[in-house]
Amino acid sequence: MLIEFSVANFLSFKERVTFSMLASKASENPENVFQPESASGNLSLLKTAAIYGANASGKSNLIDAFFFMRSFVLNSVKQGSTDQKIARRPFKIDQGCIDKPSYFNLVFIYEGIEYDYGFEIDNHRVHREWLKIRQSKKQALVFDRRFSKAKNKEGYQYKKGTAWQGEWKSIQSVTRPDSLFLSVASQFNNEITENVTDYFRTYLEKIIPETIDTNNPIFTNELALQSVAHKFILNYLKKADLGIVDFNVSKVPLTENQYEFVTAISKIFNRPSLKNEFTDKVKYNYDTTTIHSGVDLKGNPANIEFTLNEESDGTRKFYTLSGPLFKVLYKGSVLIVDELDARLHSLLTRWLIGLFHNPKTNPKNAQLIFATHDAGLLDRKLLRRDQIWFTEKGEDSATKLYSLWDIKIRNKEDIRKGYLMGRYGAIPFLEQNGD
């Protein structure tokens, strides 16, 4: 379960901002809140959160920051030589930020234990890294790593906390400046650090426009071959009132032309193993057909098959989303979606959000974080004020991040109307024609 995420000096974020899933003490919409099993014992977390803002205000950058951190945790050990730069993207509008470290911090719950993990990096090295855990009321340090130039001598200082267990010196000795100590320790099968990397690997899922291939939804198709997932997806499609009464997925082996294409690419890049690497991961294409109720040539009731490509853009996106939704609700993990409302009717988007609020469809308290422009979702019956976040560019072009909970409004104020009138900021400033 996600508690909060902080970032600074990355993309459009100059100063540190914090996005939080901690619930306020408001009594509204109690079904939107849950109490996780944790050492703190008194936490209340939100099941969903919406991020609003004008185009280019930083909504997508916040999502990118989440997954840059995830990628670095999982891949820093695999970085090339020490001459290779870390592919972080500092706040460039202020050139003074280019050489300053970027900051990332995630606080989350994994199997009842609260973890606080973060790091600061520039293009060449990790400047600081820390991990703390809370197994009881008191937080304990696992490790702290800092780079310093004390007395003209560059080097890292490590502090072993009371919660650390296992190998210590040998892990330090093989941790490169551009790698995370956490990631290296996980390679040594350290239990605590493995828990952190496992959370990043399996409990943070994302869907962004660039990853939604509605013409070839491999992930959903692969899941749909399992009976439990097929049942969930079919029920999901039926309740969305898309006219689909059933669907079928079948595997189709790759064609010879596809094999030849990969072979040609492997020669161009001088990687003979590419063909095997590709076919080991993607051995099949998938044929997906949807079934609608219709009539045959004699006017009798009949099932009519459609290929997935014959369905509307919205139906294809809905089907593509169903696989990740099943996985997240089944595991109780976190799904982060950019442009959730794109190609979906507002009522379908509301229904999808409701899946997370309903304890029957979300028994494991999965969380949904999404960026959207759909002002129709700004409804007190759907979202609490602490579930609504805004991004807005300041005069220095840096993104500010704030919650509607931070803004004083009337108890019965129409928040949709207030947002569109600009009372909360985070909307585009449009010049009038002719001005």
Side-chain angles (χ1 to χ4, degrees):
M1 290 103 176
L2 180 65
I3 299 176
E4 66 179 33
F5 171 71
S6 301
V7 61
N9 193 23
F10 183 77
L11 294 173
S12 60
F13 297 99
K14 181 180 179 181
E15 305 299 332
R16 187 184 305 180
V17 300
T18 297
F19 174 84
S20 177
M21 294 295 281
L22 284 169
S24 67
K25 294 182 179 180
S27 59
E28 56 195 90
N29 298 15
E31 69 279 4
N32 296 11
V33 176
F34 69 100
Q35 286 71 45
E37 293 183 10
S38 70
S40 299
N42 58 354
L43 283 181
S44 292
L45 297 180
L46 299 166
K47 295 180 182 178
T48 67
I51 307 167
Y52 284 84
N55 289 331
S57 65
K59 300 186 303 297
S60 297
N61 288 345
L62 182 65
I63 294 172
D64 287 345
F66 266 106
F67 287 95
F68 174 85
M69 184 181 188
R70 178 184 185 273
S71 177
F72 197 60
V73 166
L74 298 180
N75 299 308
S76 73
V77 172
K78 304 172 188 176
Q79 298 276 346
S81 67
T82 53
D83 295 331
Q84 182 178 347
K85 288 185 177 181
I86 298 173
R88 60 118 196 188
R89 297 166 64 187
F91 181 74
K92 290 180 66 175
I93 298 295
D94 182 346
Q95 291 287 290
C97 294
I98 299 297
D99 295 324
K100 293 181 179 179
S102 298
Y103 174 97
F104 300 86
N105 181 226
L106 192 72
V107 183
F108 60 93
I109 296 171
Y110 179 89
E111 296 184 351
I113 299 174
E114 185 178 313
Y115 293 80
D116 180 336
Y117 174 68
F119 55 79
E120 297 178 33
I121 57 172
D122 64 14
N123 292 346
H124 304 284
R125 69 174 65 252
V126 177
H127 281 257
R128 190 187 168 207
E129 183 185 4
W130 64 93
L131 175 62
K132 303 171 186 177
I133 63 171
R134 191 187 302 275
Q135 293 176 295
S136 60
K137 294 287 184 180
K138 188 176 180 181
Q139 191 179 62
L141 177 69
V142 180
F143 70 83
D144 188 280
R145 172 195 184 198
R146 298 170 187 259
F147 177 75
S148 68
K149 295 183 179 180
K151 297 181 181 180
N152 298 320
K153 184 179 179 180
E154 292 186 352
Y156 283 97
Q157 296 178 347
Y158 287 86
K159 182 178 180 180
K160 179 167 64 171
T162 57
W164 179 269
Q165 296 179 354
E167 202 66 42
W168 179 249
K169 288 290 185 182
S170 57
I171 300 175
Q172 293 178 44
S173 66
V174 296
T175 302
R176 300 191 314 268
D178 62 347
S179 294
L180 294 171
F181 180 75
L182 175 116
S183 304
V184 176
S186 297
Q187 299 287 314
F188 279 68
N189 300 318
N190 180 276
E191 183 178 354
I192 293 178
T193 60
E194 277 190 314
N195 288 343
V196 177
T197 54
D198 185 58
Y199 179 84
F200 277 95
R201 181 182 298 107
T202 63
Y203 284 85
L204 287 178
E205 304 284 343
K206 76 171 177 178
I207 298 176
I208 58 176
E210 297 80 34
T211 63
I212 298 179
D213 183 359
T214 57
N215 293 315
N216 189 26
I218 294 175
F219 183 76
T220 298
N221 284 335
E222 186 69 35
L223 275 177
L225 295 172
Q226 304 171 25
S227 60
V228 175
H230 187 282
K231 182 179 179 180
F232 171 91
I233 294 169
L234 178 58
N235 185 51
Y236 172 80
L237 295 173
K238 284 181 175 179
K239 287 189 174 181
D241 194 27
L242 301 172
I244 296 172
V245 297
D246 204 350
F247 75 100
N248 295 305
V249 177
S250 58
K251 285 185 173 183
V252 181
L254 292 175
T255 66
E256 187 59 35
N257 287 339
Q258 289 168 324
Y259 273 77
E260 290 175 359
F261 172 76
V262 177
T263 301
I265 293 295
S266 67
K267 290 180 180 178
I268 292 172
F269 290 97
N270 193 28
R271 287 183 57 192
S273 64
L274 184 61
K275 183 174 180 179
N276 289 334
E277 291 174 12
F278 179 84
T279 55
D280 282 345
K281 294 179 180 178
V282 186
K283 296 182 178 180
Y284 302 92
N285 281 327
Y286 297 87
D287 276 346
T288 308
T289 56
T290 57
I291 300 172
H292 295 252
S293 295
V295 294
D296 60 19
L297 293 174
K298 296 180 180 180
N300 297 318
N303 289 331
I304 311 300
E305 284 194 353
F306 287 75
T307 65
L308 190 61
N309 289 338
E310 291 179 296
E311 296 285 0
S312 68
D313 286 348
T315 296
R316 294 204 307 273
K317 180 180 178 181
F318 215 67
Y319 176 77
T320 304
L321 285 173
S322 65
L325 270 176
F326 169 77
K327 180 181 178 182
V328 167
L329 292 170
Y330 186 79
K331 287 181 65 69
S333 49
V334 182
L335 179 63
I336 304 177
V337 186
D338 197 5
E339 299 183 18
L340 176 65
D341 52 306
R343 290 181 286 182
L344 292 181
H345 191 282
S346 183
L347 290 178
L348 285 182
T349 308
R350 289 175 68 99
W351 179 80
L352 190 152
I353 296 167
L355 290 176
F356 285 81
H357 293 164
N358 189 336
K360 291 183 179 179
T361 52
N362 186 16
K364 296 185 179 179
N365 295 316
Q367 293 169 293
L368 171 68
I369 299 166
F370 61 96
T372 181
H373 291 290
D374 187 351
L377 303 176
L378 292 171
D379 181 348
R380 287 176 182 267
K381 294 180 180 179
L382 179 68
L383 298 173
R384 298 155 43 109
R385 284 188 294 139
D386 51 4
Q387 291 178 274
I388 300 168
W389 288 78
F390 301 112
T391 55
E392 184 176 57
K393 288 285 186 72
E395 292 183 359
D396 59 355
S397 296
T399 296
K400 296 184 293 182
L401 177 69
Y402 54 98
S403 167
L404 183 58
W405 183 255
D406 300 325
I407 302 172
K408 291 185 178 180
I409 64 173
R410 298 187 304 274
N411 288 334
K412 295 185 179 181
E413 182 169 325
D414 184 335
I415 57 176
R416 175 185 174 278
K417 183 178 179 181
Y419 172 66
L420 293 176
M421 291 179 66
R423 291 176 187 165
Y424 321 134
I427 61 172
F429 176 76
L430 303 176
E431 293 185 0
Q432 298 298 316
N433 291 335
D435 289 353

